[in-house]
Amino acid sequence: MACLFYSGNAVATIAWWIVLWKVPSSRVLFLGETFGAHWFWIVLPDGLAAVFGGLWVAVAVANRRKIAGPLAWVHFGAAGYAWALTLSLALFDPRCYWGLLAMSLTTSLSFAFAMRLNAARMLWGPFEFRPAKPGAPSDYRRQTAKQITAMWLIFLVAVPAVIAGFEVLVGWHANWLTESWRLPVALILFGSAASLGLTGPQ
């Protein structure tokens, strides 16, 4: 999966350049009106970090090199910098909301893969991943139900609600899908994310 993500991110970056080049109207959606007029300046840093860097991590992971872990953190740092840039642009020009959305997804995945490749602790306290204590099947079901309920309420209800409220506050909600599309898309996304909590090792 890590190889697929890093190599896929490199290919997606090149495809994004082509879209920016061939479809001028897309520049405002991703970079805003002012920065979008000078989009070609992002090719060099993107080429180094997302394309070259992403392929380097993919090759290191495929060959089980120890350097894969540190490289993954570098990749995340570069993605985080790009995310901060798109956040700043979107705050000044709400029309480039889609650039922030794309970089939020990329940066989140980059962080998750960096954590996994470095065997870092992803959660703490009651949410920490750890072997279950010996017990009856009913105990496992009860504990799983409690954790899933808490995780869904926090990450699939509370956090999205806070994000949605902030988007309304800064004007990003003008970029949302039309009313008729929101509920079906929301249900699909919720179901996809929630299904991860119901998937166990085979």
Side-chain angles (χ1 to χ4, degrees), residues 6-16 50-51 55:
Y6 289 110
S7 57
N9 182 243
V11 173
T13 300
I14 296 174
W16 180 53
V51 179
L55 293 176

Side-chain angles (χ1 to χ4, degrees), residues 70-169:
L71 285 177
W73 282 125
V74 173
H75 187 276
F76 165 66
Y81 179 83
W83 175 83
L85 174 62
T86 57
L87 174 62
S88 301
L89 293 173
L91 288 173
F92 282 102
D93 188 347
R95 290 176 297 175
C96 57
Y97 168 84
W98 296 104
L100 175 61
L101 198 64
M103 278 312 306
S104 295
L105 176 61
T106 300
T107 305
S108 299
L109 289 173
S110 182
F111 175 70
F113 278 106
M115 293 284 283
R116 294 294 291 172
L117 289 174
N118 287 277
R121 293 173 60 187
M122 299 189 70
L123 296 170
W124 294 265
F127 301 117
E128 181 181 3
F129 296 126
R130 58 184 180 274
K133 297 178 181 179
S138 60
D139 294 333
Y140 296 145
R141 287 192 290 270
R142 184 170 57 254
Q143 292 171 7
T144 299
K146 288 169 58 178
Q147 187 182 47
I148 284 178
T149 300
M151 294 284 278
W152 285 7
L153 288 174
I154 293 172
F155 295 107
L156 300 182
V157 177
V159 172
V162 171
I163 293 174
F166 181 76
E167 291 187 346
V168 171
L169 182 65

